[in-house]
Amino acid sequence: MGMWRMPSVSEAIRRRISVRAFKPDPVPESLLREILEVARFAPSGGNVQPWKVIAVAGAAREAVSALAKQAIMANPAGEEGDRPIYPANLWEPHRSWRFKVGEDMYALLGIPREDKPARLRHVARNFDFFDAPVGLFFVIDERMGHGQWAHLGMFMQSIALVALERGVSSCMQEAWGRVRATLKRHFGLGETELVYCGMALGYADEAAPVNKLRSDRAEVDEFARFEGF
Ligand SMILES: Cc1cc2nc3c(=O)[nH]c(=O)nc-3n(C[C@H](O)[C@H](O)[C@H](O)COP(=O)(O)O)c2cc1C
């Protein structure tokens, strides 16, 4: 933290990574509020701002973690209301990207492909927010369409970048979608509301091997075409 320097937007985008091991140092409510004060200026089509956030720390964080771990043990395949995170039979090149980042992560963790129980134990760490002191849940109304889901994503990335500007790391966590029914009950959400995604927020444990993971990206020419330049 001592050497922290405020990154440019480009640096922040390059430097943001999914952190999966955190130090216990707290993220105070005032700092989280500061982050949300900025991130709320994320764009959304028609300015509908189709997001709600539930932030948990301390006892509230413990409570939701405990509930989620119980729920996932009872329903390892995910609860009813779960939506598949990826399309069935994901195709190339997306399939290979997904496979590679998973293999790279488990290699850093020293967990071989065959060791399914160890892999599952790592997945379950999502429900401890990887020990981050703060967890966020992103709530959307299921009456919203694909556009609004995309806009929620912009809001989430804005939070991750503003957090980074303040030295706070993050991991977005779709894993929480597997316990959607439990979360809905626990937080008393409206009939049409659901938790899309979680996010762990805190200070990265730089020494943890899993945080050495640097995911690859396709080259610009693999996904972009340029016409009329
Ligand atoms: C919406 C969203 C949900 C994600 N959910 C999870 C998750 O549940 N658990 C996890 O470990 N990583 C999760 N990730 C992290 C991705 O695996 C990661 O962003 C991707 O591999 C690229 O790596 P990077 O974030 O380090 O650049 C999620 C990312 C996004 C954008």
Short mmCIF file of all heavy atoms in Angstrom, two decimals, residues 16-18 20 101 105 122 126 130 156 171-176 196-197 213 215 217, ligand 1:
data_model
loop_
_atom_site.label_atom_id
_atom_site.label_comp_id
_atom_site.label_asym_id
_atom_site.label_seq_id
_atom_site.Cartn_x
_atom_site.Cartn_y
_atom_site.Cartn_z
N ARG A 16 -6.44 -4.14 -13.26
CA ARG A 16 -7.50 -4.85 -12.55
C ARG A 16 -7.43 -6.34 -12.89
O ARG A 16 -7.40 -6.71 -14.05
CB ARG A 16 -8.89 -4.32 -12.94
CG ARG A 16 -10.01 -4.96 -12.12
CD ARG A 16 -11.26 -5.18 -12.94
NE ARG A 16 -10.96 -5.91 -14.15
CZ ARG A 16 -10.80 -7.25 -14.22
NH1 ARG A 16 -10.96 -8.00 -13.16
NH2 ARG A 16 -10.47 -7.83 -15.37
N ILE A 17 -7.37 -7.14 -11.88
CA ILE A 17 -7.44 -8.57 -12.07
C ILE A 17 -8.41 -9.12 -11.04
O ILE A 17 -8.76 -8.42 -10.09
CB ILE A 17 -6.06 -9.26 -11.87
CG1 ILE A 17 -5.53 -8.98 -10.47
CG2 ILE A 17 -5.08 -8.83 -12.94
CD1 ILE A 17 -4.41 -9.91 -10.05
N SER A 18 -8.83 -10.33 -11.24
CA SER A 18 -9.67 -10.98 -10.23
C SER A 18 -8.77 -11.49 -9.13
O SER A 18 -7.93 -12.36 -9.37
CB SER A 18 -10.45 -12.14 -10.86
OG SER A 18 -11.35 -11.62 -11.81
N ARG A 20 -8.20 -13.49 -5.70
CA ARG A 20 -8.88 -14.61 -5.06
C ARG A 20 -8.23 -15.01 -3.73
O ARG A 20 -8.38 -16.13 -3.27
CB ARG A 20 -8.97 -15.80 -6.02
CG ARG A 20 -9.80 -15.50 -7.26
CD ARG A 20 -10.00 -16.72 -8.14
NE ARG A 20 -10.79 -16.43 -9.33
CZ ARG A 20 -10.30 -15.97 -10.48
NH1 ARG A 20 -9.01 -15.72 -10.61
NH2 ARG A 20 -11.09 -15.75 -11.52
N VAL A 101 -7.99 -20.42 -18.67
CA VAL A 101 -7.89 -19.65 -17.42
C VAL A 101 -8.13 -20.56 -16.22
O VAL A 101 -7.48 -20.41 -15.17
CB VAL A 101 -8.82 -18.40 -17.43
CG1 VAL A 101 -10.27 -18.75 -17.13
CG2 VAL A 101 -8.31 -17.36 -16.44
N MET A 105 -5.30 -21.29 -13.39
CA MET A 105 -5.58 -21.00 -11.98
C MET A 105 -5.30 -22.23 -11.10
O MET A 105 -4.63 -22.13 -10.08
CB MET A 105 -7.03 -20.56 -11.80
CG MET A 105 -7.35 -20.16 -10.38
SD MET A 105 -9.04 -19.57 -10.19
CE MET A 105 -9.94 -21.11 -10.26
N HIS A 122 -12.09 -25.24 -3.73
CA HIS A 122 -11.68 -23.89 -4.16
C HIS A 122 -12.90 -23.09 -4.63
O HIS A 122 -13.04 -21.92 -4.29
CB HIS A 122 -10.62 -23.94 -5.26
CG HIS A 122 -10.30 -22.56 -5.75
ND1 HIS A 122 -9.56 -21.67 -5.01
CD2 HIS A 122 -10.70 -21.89 -6.85
CE1 HIS A 122 -9.50 -20.52 -5.65
NE2 HIS A 122 -10.18 -20.62 -6.77
N ASN A 126 -15.48 -19.13 -2.98
CA ASN A 126 -16.29 -18.00 -3.43
C ASN A 126 -17.24 -17.55 -2.33
O ASN A 126 -17.48 -16.36 -2.15
CB ASN A 126 -17.12 -18.39 -4.65
CG ASN A 126 -16.39 -18.18 -5.96
OD1 ASN A 126 -16.19 -17.04 -6.40
ND2 ASN A 126 -15.98 -19.27 -6.59
N PHE A 130 -13.50 -15.26 -0.71
CA PHE A 130 -12.04 -15.43 -0.71
C PHE A 130 -11.41 -14.66 0.45
O PHE A 130 -10.32 -14.10 0.32
CB PHE A 130 -11.43 -15.00 -2.05
CG PHE A 130 -11.97 -15.74 -3.24
CD1 PHE A 130 -12.77 -15.11 -4.19
CD2 PHE A 130 -11.70 -17.09 -3.42
CE1 PHE A 130 -13.27 -15.79 -5.29
CE2 PHE A 130 -12.19 -17.78 -4.52
CZ PHE A 130 -13.00 -17.14 -5.45
N MET A 156 -20.73 -2.59 -12.69
CA MET A 156 -19.82 -3.45 -11.92
C MET A 156 -18.36 -3.17 -12.24
O MET A 156 -17.51 -3.07 -11.36
CB MET A 156 -20.16 -4.92 -12.16
CG MET A 156 -21.48 -5.33 -11.54
SD MET A 156 -22.10 -6.94 -12.12
CE MET A 156 -20.68 -7.97 -11.83
N CYS A 171 -13.04 -9.25 -6.86
CA CYS A 171 -13.31 -10.40 -7.71
C CYS A 171 -14.81 -10.45 -7.95
O CYS A 171 -15.59 -10.48 -6.99
CB CYS A 171 -12.85 -11.72 -7.08
SG CYS A 171 -13.07 -13.13 -8.20
N MET A 172 -15.20 -10.39 -9.20
CA MET A 172 -16.62 -10.55 -9.52
C MET A 172 -16.97 -12.01 -9.33
O MET A 172 -16.15 -12.89 -9.58
CB MET A 172 -16.90 -10.09 -10.93
CG MET A 172 -16.54 -8.62 -11.10
SD MET A 172 -17.03 -7.95 -12.67
CE MET A 172 -16.07 -6.42 -12.64
N GLN A 173 -18.17 -12.27 -8.88
CA GLN A 173 -18.50 -13.64 -8.46
C GLN A 173 -19.90 -14.07 -8.90
O GLN A 173 -20.87 -13.96 -8.16
CB GLN A 173 -18.43 -13.72 -6.94
CG GLN A 173 -17.06 -13.45 -6.35
CD GLN A 173 -17.07 -13.72 -4.88
OE1 GLN A 173 -17.62 -12.96 -4.11
NE2 GLN A 173 -16.51 -14.84 -4.49
N GLU A 174 -19.93 -14.62 -10.10
CA GLU A 174 -21.18 -15.23 -10.58
C GLU A 174 -21.54 -16.46 -9.77
O GLU A 174 -22.68 -16.91 -9.80
CB GLU A 174 -21.03 -15.64 -12.05
CG GLU A 174 -21.51 -14.59 -13.01
CD GLU A 174 -21.02 -14.84 -14.44
OE1 GLU A 174 -20.04 -15.59 -14.64
OE2 GLU A 174 -21.61 -14.27 -15.35
N ALA A 175 -20.55 -17.01 -9.07
CA ALA A 175 -20.79 -18.22 -8.27
C ALA A 175 -21.99 -18.05 -7.34
O ALA A 175 -22.72 -19.01 -7.08
CB ALA A 175 -19.55 -18.56 -7.46
N TRP A 176 -22.20 -16.81 -6.88
CA TRP A 176 -23.32 -16.58 -5.95
C TRP A 176 -24.67 -16.84 -6.60
O TRP A 176 -25.67 -17.03 -5.90
CB TRP A 176 -23.26 -15.15 -5.41
CG TRP A 176 -22.17 -14.96 -4.39
CD1 TRP A 176 -20.91 -14.50 -4.62
CD2 TRP A 176 -22.24 -15.25 -2.98
NE1 TRP A 176 -20.20 -14.48 -3.44
CE2 TRP A 176 -20.98 -14.92 -2.43
CE3 TRP A 176 -23.25 -15.73 -2.14
CZ2 TRP A 176 -20.71 -15.07 -1.07
CZ3 TRP A 176 -22.97 -15.87 -0.79
CH2 TRP A 176 -21.71 -15.55 -0.27
N TYR A 196 -27.90 -11.10 -9.38
CA TYR A 196 -27.20 -11.58 -10.56
C TYR A 196 -25.83 -12.10 -10.18
O TYR A 196 -25.43 -13.20 -10.57
CB TYR A 196 -27.06 -10.44 -11.59
CG TYR A 196 -25.91 -10.65 -12.56
CD1 TYR A 196 -25.78 -11.84 -13.27
CD2 TYR A 196 -24.95 -9.66 -12.74
CE1 TYR A 196 -24.72 -12.05 -14.12
CE2 TYR A 196 -23.88 -9.87 -13.60
CZ TYR A 196 -23.78 -11.06 -14.28
OH TYR A 196 -22.71 -11.27 -15.11
N CYS A 197 -25.09 -11.32 -9.37
CA CYS A 197 -23.66 -11.58 -9.21
C CYS A 197 -23.20 -11.03 -7.88
O CYS A 197 -23.83 -10.11 -7.34
CB CYS A 197 -22.94 -10.86 -10.36
SG CYS A 197 -21.24 -11.37 -10.66
N LEU A 213 -2.06 -15.16 -10.94
CA LEU A 213 -2.73 -15.47 -12.22
C LEU A 213 -2.92 -14.21 -13.06
O LEU A 213 -3.44 -13.20 -12.57
CB LEU A 213 -4.11 -16.10 -11.93
CG LEU A 213 -4.95 -16.46 -13.15
CD1 LEU A 213 -4.26 -17.50 -14.02
CD2 LEU A 213 -6.32 -16.99 -12.72
N SER A 215 -4.63 -13.52 -16.66
CA SER A 215 -5.39 -14.16 -17.73
C SER A 215 -5.02 -13.56 -19.08
O SER A 215 -4.64 -12.40 -19.17
CB SER A 215 -6.88 -14.01 -17.46
OG SER A 215 -7.19 -12.63 -17.30
N ARG A 217 -5.73 -12.51 -23.17
CA ARG A 217 -6.79 -11.92 -23.96
C ARG A 217 -6.51 -12.15 -25.45
O ARG A 217 -5.34 -12.21 -25.85
CB ARG A 217 -6.90 -10.41 -23.73
CG ARG A 217 -7.33 -10.00 -22.32
CD ARG A 217 -8.75 -10.42 -21.99
NE ARG A 217 -9.21 -9.84 -20.74
CZ ARG A 217 -8.98 -10.34 -19.52
NH1 ARG A 217 -8.29 -11.45 -19.40
NH2 ARG A 217 -9.43 -9.73 -18.45
C1 LIG B 1 -19.47 -11.14 -14.20
C2 LIG B 1 -18.29 -11.93 -13.76
C3 LIG B 1 -18.46 -12.98 -12.89
C4 LIG B 1 -17.37 -13.73 -12.43
N1 LIG B 1 -17.57 -14.73 -11.51
C5 LIG B 1 -16.50 -15.35 -10.95
C6 LIG B 1 -16.67 -16.27 -9.88
O1 LIG B 1 -17.78 -16.59 -9.47
N2 LIG B 1 -15.58 -16.81 -9.30
C7 LIG B 1 -14.31 -16.50 -9.73
O2 LIG B 1 -13.35 -17.01 -9.16
N3 LIG B 1 -14.12 -15.64 -10.77
C8 LIG B 1 -15.18 -15.05 -11.37
N4 LIG B 1 -14.99 -14.14 -12.39
C9 LIG B 1 -13.63 -13.80 -12.82
C10 LIG B 1 -13.29 -14.25 -14.22
O3 LIG B 1 -12.92 -15.59 -14.23
C11 LIG B 1 -12.15 -13.34 -14.71
O4 LIG B 1 -12.63 -12.02 -14.83
C12 LIG B 1 -11.55 -13.75 -16.04
O5 LIG B 1 -10.96 -15.01 -15.96
C13 LIG B 1 -10.49 -12.73 -16.48
O6 LIG B 1 -9.49 -12.62 -15.49
P1 LIG B 1 -9.18 -11.26 -14.74
O7 LIG B 1 -10.44 -10.77 -14.10
O8 LIG B 1 -8.13 -11.60 -13.73
O9 LIG B 1 -8.70 -10.27 -15.77
C14 LIG B 1 -16.08 -13.42 -12.89
C15 LIG B 1 -15.92 -12.38 -13.81
C16 LIG B 1 -17.01 -11.64 -14.24
C17 LIG B 1 -16.79 -10.51 -15.20
#
